Amino acid sequence: MKPLLSLDGPRHEPASGNPQSIVVLLHGYGADGHDLISLAPLWARVLPQTLFVSPHAPFPCEINPMGKQWYGFEGMTPEMILAATRAAASLVDGYIDALIGETGVPASRIALAGFSQGAMMALHIAPRRRDALAGVIGFSGRLIAPELLATETITRPPILLVHGDADPVVPFESMQPAADALRAAGFDVVAEKRPNVPHAIDQVGLAMGGRFLVDAFAQPVAGPA
């Protein structure tokens, strides 16, 4: 029997055979897994033996019941958001562990790619996993509780941050503090400003993400400190 809040969502299977790597796509607030799985066929051109999975967030969105959310914002203090992020992160961790058990693909061949709230989740989850992931891509997100990185970081996968400077939802100004905090905690971070791009992933950002994943799966990542 599945746990009450186990995660599930669409998949894009590798071109042939068993997957050699996995990309977990974490969607934004008010969307669902069908949103980011659309990236899979594009990245699969350079990662044909990769399994792409895009789980639905576990909760109905508070402002769009047709969509999903990893956690709520309405009436939430920063402390409440952190607690809700931790709760959702435990579900994603369980989902990743289940993928490892199902496919035999090790954590070092698994990457997280998130958009908006999904990027916030990815940036929270990856540093706190004992088995280091291959890498993290954060599109149009921000870093939750950066002050905790110094004491809570366990592993340090490489990170790519991409953010449009015309974003009206998550301000572009969120990117640099996130990059600074991650670098201060020992992460290798590339932060890319996309001129005139709103709250979206443009073709340049998409291409950067594909190259980042190819490189991340080709090299070892930093383990426990």
Side-chain angles (χ1 to χ4, degrees), residues 5 7 27-33 55-74 76 84 88 91-92 117-118 121:
L5 288 179
L7 303 182
H27 66 78
Y29 180 74
D32 64 20
H56 306 302
F59 308 112
C61 181
E62 60 201 349
I63 63 170
N64 172 24
M66 298 300 292
K68 299 287 187 178
Q69 65 184 32
W70 298 101
Y71 54 85
F73 290 109
E74 298 294 308
M76 299 276 277
L91 296 175
V92 178
Q117 192 182 63
M121 290 294 302

Side-chain angles (χ1 to χ4, degrees), residues 103-128:
T103 65
V105 174
S108 61
R109 302 281 301 169
I110 298 175
L112 298 181
F115 175 73
S116 193
Q117 192 182 63
M120 300 172 201
M121 290 294 302
L123 293 172
H124 182 86
I125 292 163
R128 293 164 174 84

Side-chain angles (χ1 to χ4, degrees), residues 6-58:
S6 63
L7 303 182
D8 197 6
R11 295 182 171 211
H12 185 280
E13 300 290 339
S16 63
N18 296 324
Q20 301 303 305
S21 52
I22 299 174
V23 176
V24 180
L25 301 160
L26 301 178
H27 66 78
Y29 180 74
D32 64 20
H34 295 294
D35 184 37
L36 286 195
I37 200 65
S38 62
L39 302 184
L42 304 172
W43 281 342
R45 296 172 185 170
V46 293
L47 295 164
Q49 296 309 120
T50 296
L51 169 65
F52 295 86
V53 295
S54 189
H56 306 302

